[in-house]
Amino acid sequence: MDLRIDYPFVLLLLIPLLTYLFWTWWRHKSILKKGHFIVFFIRAMTIVMLIFAVASPYLLLPVKEEQILFLLDRSASMEGTEEEAVRFIEESLQGKKEHQSVGIYSFASNVQTEAILSDSLERVPNFSEMIHKDETNIEQALQLATGIVDKEKATRIVLMTDGLQTRGEVFESITKMAGTNISVDVVPLSKGINFDVSIRSFTTPQVAYRGEDQQLVIELEATKGTVGELYLYENDRLIFKEGIQLEEGKNVFSYRHKGNQEGLVKYEALIQTEEDAILENNKLTSVTMVQSTPRLLIVSNREGGSPIGKILDSSSIQFDEVTAELLPSSLSSILQYNAIIFDNVPGHLVGEAKMGVIEQAVKNFGVGFMMVGGENSYGLGGYFKTPIERLLPVEMEVQGKHQLPSLGLVIVLDRSGSMFGSKIELAKEAAVRSVELLRDGDTFGFIAFDSEPWEIIETKPLENREEAIDTILSVPPGGGTEIYSSLAMAYANLADLKLQRKHIILLTDGQSATRSNYEELIETGKGNMITLSTVAIGSDADRNLLEMLSTLAGGRYYEVMDETTIPAILSRETAMISRTYIEDNPFYPIIYQSEGWNALFEEGVPLMNAYIATTPKATAKVIAESEKEDPVLTEWQYGLGRTIAFTSDSTGAWTGDWARWKEWANFWHTSVSRLLPKYNEIAYDIRLNADGTFVITDPTNEATFLDVAVVDELGNELEVSLEPISASKVRAVVDASPGLVFFRISKDDEVYQAGLTVPYSAEYELAPPNEKLLANIAESTGGKVIEEPEEAFREFTERGATRQSISVILLFVSLLLFFIDITIRRFGWGFLKQVGKSRKAIVKKDIVEEETNVAQILKGMKKK
C-alpha cells in the first residue's frame, strides 16, 4: 500500500496557515487555559485535513491479477511464420498461473481478435482470415492493445513481429504508455527467403508526342544471379519480351519504344523467374501523357458499322469504332479518347461496370459523351437508373404526356443456392428497378423459386412501392431449381386479368429439376395474351430450354456472362412493355436559341420521322424539341465533361430529311467539337511521397484554388483530402491501392489530367527484421527481447495497483472536527462533561413525575 497525492502544490498552503496558527498561539499562550489548547488543536487539525483533501490524496492498493496479451504480426512480410508463432504461444501457455489472464490478437493494417482476455485460455484457437495484409501498423496495434487491457493490473504485451512497420510511427504509442503498468516484450520473427527478384522502379516519360522514341527504364534487384523473362506492355498489349541475365544486387535495363498510342498511355513491366519468393513485387506500372490530335470512340453494334464514322472527316479527327462487347473496361483505356458516342447501343451489352468507368471519365476528366437514338437506346436500351442516365441531360422515364397501356408484370426469380452472392443481389436490384419503372396501379407480382415456387408478392395492382422493394431485397438464396411449377404459377396469376399487356420475365442460372409440357403452358398463355422473356445467367443455365421458351412465348432471350448487365436487361424489358417510347409521326423540330448550334439551321429545319421519348433534366439545355415538347437534341455539363442526347437515329430511317440535309455532316462535326474537353496547358507537378501522400505543385502559385479528383483503374472515385503547404504546393491524402491512379486537376474551368503509379507496398520488399526498432520498443517500456516461450510468463517487476481516493474521508473528518469546534465555542468545554450527567437527571425526573401522576389518580379513586 502506498500513499500518493495528485496535487502536491496545494500543500504549500499549509505554510502560511500553520505560520499564522503558531503566531496566534505564541502571542496568547500566557492567557490560554487547558481547554483553549484543545480547541486550538482541533482547529489546526480541521485546516490540515481540509487542505490535504483538496490536494486529492489516494492510496495505491496492490492488485494480484496480471494480464499477458500476445500481439501477432500477420502482415504479408510475415507470411509463413504463423506456425512458428502458434508453437511459441502454445509452449508459453504452459507457464500460465491461475491469477493471470491471457488474450491473443493479430494485426496487419488492422487489429483482429483471436482470443479475448480470459483466465481460462489454455490453447491457441484457429486464427481468423486476415483480409488486408499489405500494411504493418504497429502503432495502431499497440494503441488498441492498451485500450483492451485493465490498466490497474500489471500487463505485459508480447509483440511478435519483424519490426518492418509500413504505416504509423510506433513510438507515438510508446510515449502514451509512459507511467502505466504496461510493458512490451518483443519476439523477433521473420520468414526466411533464399531468393527473390523484384522491380524496384519503372520510369517512362511524363509527357511525350506520338511517334517519339520513348525511353523505358527498369531497375531490378536480385538476391543472387539468375536468368529471367522481362515483359513490357503498352495499354495491356505486349511490346517487348526478352530473356535477361540478372546479377546479384541492382540491375538496370533500358529500352527505346516509338509509341503510337495517344492520351494517357499505361506501360507495365513484368519479370518472371523460375524461383521467386515474393510475386507481388514482380510488376510495376507507369503512365505517359502522349499528346496528339483529338480521338473519338464510336460504339455501335449496327451491321456494317455506324454511319457516323462514314460522315466524319478522318483528317480532322481520329476515331476508332468498336462494338459494345469490345468497349474498354479500364479507365486508362477510356482516357485515350477525348469523346465517346454510343450509336444505338443496348445497355445489357455494355454492363454497369463499364458504364461506371465512362461516368468517371466524363465527370472527373472532361471526356465528352453523346448518345444517339434507335430501338436499342435510352429507355428501350435498358439505361434506366444506370451511370449513363446520370451523366446524360435527359431521363429515360417518360413523364405525364404519353398514353400508356395497362400492364401486368410478373418476375420469376431463381433463388436456388447456386445464385448465392452477386448473382442474386444484382437480380434483386434489377427487379427493384422494374418496380420503380411501373406506374401506381400497374399490376405486379414476384415469384421466387428453389425446389418449389414461393409467391413473395401477390399479383395485384401495385399500391405500396416501397414495401414491394423492401420485400424483394429481403429474399435469401437457398434450395434447388424447379422452373415449370414457378412459370405455371405466374401464367395462372395473369390469365384472367383484363390488361392490355401481360408479361413474365424469368431469370435462372440452372437446369430445371423436372421436364414438363412447357409448350402447352405457353400456348395457353398466348391465348390469354401473355408473353415471356428469359434470362440465362452463367454457363450452367439450360440455354436451349430458355431460348425455346422465349421464342415460343413471343418474348426475348438474353444470355448473361457479365452479371452486372442483369439490371439493364430487366429495365429494358420493363420499358418495352410498359411504355410507348417511339414517336413515329413526322414533324419539324422546334429549334431554340443556343450558341454553337443555330448557324446550322439558318436556312430552315428538315423534316424528322421519329425519335425516342425522354424527359429533359431540370438544368439541361434543350436545343431542339418535338411538337409534343419531347427533347430531340439536348446538352448539359456533367462535372467537367459535356454530354449530348440526340433521340433520333443516325441512319436516316428516323432522321428522315435530316440525313439528306446539306448540313448533316456539319451537324456531326459540331456535335463532336462540343464534346471535346478544353485542357489546361499548365503542367502541374504531382509527386508521390514516401508516406503515401501526393504533393501537387502549381507553377502559378494558386494551389489553394485547385479542385482535385482521383480515380483508380477500375473507375472508382477515391476520397481526397487536401492540406495546403504553401502558395504553390498542396498535399493530397488519398487512400489508394497499388496500381494506377488518375488525377484530374481543375481551376477556372480548365482541366489538367495525369496518371501516376502507386507502387506495391513496402510489405513486399525484401528486408531483414528491424532488430534495432524492436530492442528500442522493449527498452522504452521496461520489457525485454525474449527468445524462450517460458519468459512470457516470468515474474513481473512491477505489481498492479488500484487507486483508492481518501479525499472524502478527510473532508468528513474535517467536517466532524469543525462541528466539535462550534459546539465547544457555543456551550463551553464543560458542556461536553455534563452531557452524560444531564441525560441521567432527565431520566430520573421523568420517573418521579410519572409516579406522582399515578399517585394522584389512585387518590381520586378512593374519594369516590
Side-chain angles (χ1 to χ4, degrees):
M1 186 171 66
D2 191 11
L3 175 64
R4 300 192 181 185
I5 296 175
D6 277 339
Y7 309 109
F9 60 87
V10 175
L11 299 180
L12 295 175
L13 294 174
L14 289 173
I15 298 175
L17 291 173
L18 292 178
T19 301
Y20 170 74
L21 290 174
F22 178 78
W23 176 79
T24 303
W25 171 79
W26 182 263
R27 184 179 179 186
H28 300 287
K29 67 177 180 177
S30 59
I31 61 174
L32 293 177
K33 299 179 181 179
K34 180 180 179 181
H36 294 152
F37 279 109
I38 294 175
V39 172
F40 188 85
F41 176 76
I42 291 173
R43 289 184 183 178
M45 289 303 298
T46 302
I47 293 172
V48 170
M49 292 289 182
L50 186 61
I51 291 176
F52 265 95
V54 173
S56 188
Y58 60 92
L59 296 174
L60 284 179
L61 304 178
V63 176
K64 182 180 179 181
E65 290 82 6
E66 298 169 346
Q67 302 169 117
I68 293 89
L69 189 147
F70 290 93
L71 201 56
L72 174 60
D73 183 354
R74 294 174 61 202
S75 62
S77 64
M78 295 284 291
E79 193 170 342
T81 64
E82 191 170 305
E83 185 177 340
E84 178 186 356
V86 170
R87 186 168 56 252
F88 183 96
I89 299 173
E90 289 276 11
E91 292 180 16
S92 67
L93 285 173
Q94 302 303 316
K96 176 185 173 299
K97 302 174 182 64
E98 291 185 359
H99 64 277
Q100 293 177 328
S101 297
V102 182
I104 304 175
Y105 298 82
S106 61
F107 72 94
S109 58
N110 294 305
V111 178
Q112 293 182 180
T113 302
E114 309 299 344
I116 62 173
L117 271 171
S118 168
D119 58 4
S120 60
L121 182 66
E122 296 180 354
R123 294 189 59 82
V124 178
N126 293 328
F127 289 164
S128 57
E129 182 183 359
M130 182 64 69
I131 300 174
H132 302 292
K133 294 186 175 183
D134 56 351
E135 298 285 354
T136 300
N137 195 336
I138 304 177
E139 176 196 354
Q140 182 192 60
L142 287 176
Q143 183 178 345
L144 291 176
T146 56
I148 291 169
V149 299
D150 185 345
K151 292 183 175 61
E152 292 184 346
K153 299 177 182 179
T155 301
R156 177 177 295 135
I157 297 174
V158 181
L159 178 63
M160 309 177 74
T161 179
D162 56 6
L164 300 175
Q165 57 177 347
T166 59
R167 178 171 292 189
E169 176 48 60
V170 64
F171 284 101
E172 292 288 333
S173 290
I174 297 299
T175 303
K176 296 175 184 177
M177 292 167 60
T180 66
N181 295 325
I182 303 173
S183 62
V184 180
D185 283 358
V186 174
V187 180
L189 293 177
S190 65
K191 63 179 180 180
I193 294 178
N194 297 323
F195 178 71
D196 184 64
V197 174
S198 62
I199 300 179
R200 304 294 293 175
S201 68
F202 178 39
T203 307
T204 62
Q206 185 175 358
V207 179
Y209 290 92
R210 184 182 180 190
E212 176 187 355
D213 270 350
Q214 303 174 31
Q215 187 175 27
L216 315 180
V217 181
I218 306 101
E219 179 185 331
L220 299 100
E221 187 170 338
T223 56
K224 65 180 181 181
T226 187
V227 294
E229 293 280 347
L230 182 63
Y231 300 82
L232 292 178
Y233 296 87
E234 180 186 54
N235 283 335
D236 302 320
R237 181 179 62 87
L238 182 66
I239 56 175
F240 283 116
K241 176 184 177 183
E242 183 180 33
I244 57 174
Q245 177 69 46
L246 293 169
E247 304 295 334
E248 182 179 346
K250 185 170 72 172
N251 299 262
V252 178
F253 297 89
S254 180
Y255 297 91
R256 305 294 299 186
H257 171 63
K258 184 175 291 186
N260 293 316
Q261 301 286 337
E262 299 170 355
L264 284 172
V265 178
K266 177 180 73 172
Y267 290 100
E268 184 177 291
L270 174 67
I271 179 68
Q272 289 185 350
T273 58
E274 288 188 4
E275 183 184 359
D276 198 359
I278 305 174
L279 298 179
E280 287 82 0
N281 59 19
N282 290 5
K283 181 173 68 174
L284 273 182
T285 55
S286 183
V287 177
T288 298
M289 169 61 81
V290 180
Q291 298 178 345
S292 62
T293 56
R295 291 186 67 193
L296 170 70
L297 178 63
I298 301 174
V299 185
S300 175
N301 281 60
R302 295 185 185 278
E303 292 185 10
S306 171
I308 300 172
K310 300 177 178 65
I311 296 171
L312 293 174
D313 183 0
S314 60
S315 63
S316 61
I317 183 168
Q318 299 180 20
F319 63 86
D320 295 328
E321 185 172 338
V322 298
T323 61
E325 295 86 346
L326 297 178
L327 178 68
S329 58
S330 67
L331 185 61
S332 59
S333 297
I334 289 293
L335 291 180
Q336 296 176 52
Y337 301 97
N338 305 100
I340 302 169
I341 296 178
F342 271 24
D343 184 9
N344 193 35
V345 179
H348 71 275
L349 295 182
V350 179
E352 295 216 13
K354 293 180 181 179
M355 293 186 200
V357 171
I358 293 173
E359 182 188 20
Q360 290 297 333
V362 173
K363 180 181 178 181
N364 289 313
F365 295 93
V367 175
F369 182 84
M370 181 178 188
M371 178 172 278
V372 180
E375 64 280 358
N376 292 315
S377 65
Y378 295 99
L380 293 179
Y383 288 98
F384 177 69
K385 289 255 178 162
T386 64
I388 295 297
E389 184 185 37
R390 285 197 297 268
L391 64 85
L392 282 173
V394 295
E395 295 176 356
M396 308 301 157
E397 177 70 292
V398 180
Q399 298 176 356
K401 304 182 292 293
H402 298 263
Q403 183 66 37
L404 304 177
S406 57
L407 169 68
L409 173 65
V410 177
I411 295 177
V412 181
L413 173 64
D414 183 351
R415 63 172 289 268
S416 62
S418 60
M419 288 284 287
F420 181 81
S422 60
K423 287 183 184 179
I424 194 168
E425 294 304 321
L426 286 167
K428 290 190 293 186
E429 173 62 26
V432 166
R433 291 192 189 178
S434 294
V435 172
E436 291 174 336
L437 271 170
L438 298 175
R439 301 159 299 171
D440 291 337
D442 279 343
T443 298
F444 177 73
F446 185 75
I447 298 171
F449 67 91
D450 41 40
S451 53
E452 60 181 306
W454 302 88
E455 189 172 29
I456 306 300
I457 297 177
E458 182 184 353
T459 305
K460 63 179 182 179
L462 185 63
E463 296 175 350
N464 191 327
R465 195 183 306 269
E466 292 303 320
E467 182 181 345
I469 290 172
D470 291 341
T471 301
I472 292 170
L473 293 176
S474 66
V475 173
T481 304
E482 170 50 40
I483 298 176
Y484 180 81
S485 57
S486 308
L487 272 182
M489 178 183 287
Y491 271 103
N493 290 346
L494 288 173
D496 298 329
L497 299 180
K498 305 301 181 183
L499 300 169
Q500 292 173 287
R501 294 181 183 178
K502 293 182 280 187
H503 191 61
I504 300 170
I505 305 175
L506 168 65
L507 299 94
T508 181
D509 71 339
Q511 310 276 332
S512 180
T514 60
R515 290 290 177 180
S516 302
N517 193 347
Y518 287 101
E519 291 85 351
E520 182 179 343
L521 178 65
I522 290 174
E523 283 301 319
T524 303
K526 288 172 72 174
N528 292 314
M529 305 299 292
I530 302 173
T531 55
L532 167 68
S533 290
T534 58
V535 182
I537 305 172
S539 57
D540 294 332
D542 193 337
R543 301 178 186 177
N544 293 331
L545 172 64
L546 295 177
E547 187 172 9
M548 182 267 290
L549 293 178
S550 62
T551 302
L552 291 177
R556 287 153 296 279
Y557 167 71
Y558 300 91
E559 199 169 287
V560 173
M561 291 300 169
D562 179 3
E563 296 156 10
T564 65
T565 64
I566 297 174
I569 291 172
L570 261 69
S571 293
R572 182 172 190 252
E573 281 293 302
T574 308
M576 292 179 73
I577 64 167
S578 64
R579 300 291 188 271
T580 304
Y581 276 94
I582 300 175
E583 294 289 338
D584 54 3
N585 296 313
F587 67 100
Y588 290 96
I590 302 168
I591 306 299
Y592 293 97
Q593 183 66 34
S594 182
E595 181 182 355
W597 294 99
N598 292 116
L600 297 173
F601 304 101
E602 287 181 350
E603 297 183 11
V605 181
L607 186 71
M608 183 173 286
N609 291 339
Y611 64 93
I612 286 188
T614 58
T615 302
K617 294 179 180 176
T619 58
K621 174 67 175 177
V622 178
I623 299 152
E625 72 176 15
S626 70
E627 296 170 343
K628 293 185 177 181
E629 300 182 353
D630 290 323
V632 174
L633 181 63
T634 317
E635 69 177 15
W636 77 340
Q637 195 76 19
Y638 184 73
L640 295 175
R642 186 184 298 275
T643 67
I644 298 175
F646 182 55
T647 58
S648 192
D649 75 342
S650 62
T651 65
W654 287 12
T655 45
D657 290 348
W658 283 54
R660 296 178 289 275
W661 177 36
K662 70 174 184 177
E663 299 288 349
W664 186 231
N666 288 334
F667 171 82
W668 291 107
H669 281 289
T670 300
S671 298
V672 172
S673 176
R674 294 190 65 78
L675 291 176
L676 296 177
K678 306 297 186 289
Y679 287 118
N680 194 352
E681 295 301 322
I682 299 174
Y684 297 97
D685 181 60
I686 310 172
R687 296 186 183 274
L688 177 63
N689 286 339
D691 61 359
T693 62
F694 298 85
V695 174
I696 304 170
T697 303
D698 180 3
T700 64
N701 292 326
E702 294 182 345
T704 307
F705 304 101
L706 297 180
D707 181 33
V708 179
V710 183
V711 180
D712 66 14
E713 178 76 351
L714 299 177
N716 301 311
E717 186 170 357
L718 305 178
E719 186 175 345
V720 182
S721 176
L722 298 180
E723 302 171 358
I725 299 175
S726 64
S728 61
K729 291 185 177 182
V730 63
R731 178 181 289 107
V733 180
V734 184
D735 187 12
S737 300
L740 285 180
V741 291
F742 299 90
F743 275 76
R744 184 271 296 155
I745 303 174
S746 60
K747 182 177 67 176
D748 299 331
D749 297 327
E750 295 181 319
V751 183
Y752 174 81
Q753 61 181 17
L756 273 83
T757 299
V758 179
Y760 53 78
S761 170
E763 284 292 320
Y764 304 110
E765 294 179 359
L766 195 61
N770 192 340
E771 295 180 355
K772 182 178 180 181
L773 174 70
L774 298 180
N776 287 339
I777 291 174
E779 183 181 352
S780 301
T781 60
K784 63 178 292 188
V785 178
I786 61 178
E787 298 178 359
E788 300 300 327
E790 55 268 19
E791 292 185 83
F793 287 89
R794 70 186 185 279
E795 289 294 327
F796 282 78
T797 56
E798 291 190 15
R799 312 299 297 179
T802 182
R803 172 172 167 157
Q804 179 65 55
S805 175
I806 60 173
S807 292
V808 175
I809 297 174
L810 294 177
L811 285 173
F812 177 77
V813 172
S814 64
L815 186 63
L816 180 62
L817 292 174
F818 176 69
F819 278 110
I820 292 174
D821 180 27
I822 292 176
T823 302
I824 294 174
R825 287 192 290 112
R826 176 68 179 82
F827 299 103
W829 179 252
F831 171 77
L832 294 177
K833 296 179 180 179
Q834 296 297 325
V835 170
K837 297 179 180 179
S838 299
R839 177 61 183 166
K840 293 178 181 178
I842 291 171
V843 171
K844 184 176 181 181
K845 180 179 178 183
D846 290 342
I847 294 172
V848 171
E849 287 181 354
E850 185 178 349
E851 291 178 351
T852 303
N853 291 336
V854 171
Q856 289 178 353
I857 292 171
L858 292 173
K859 186 177 180 181
M861 291 175 66
K862 287 180 179 180
K863 289 181 179 181
K864 292 180 180 180

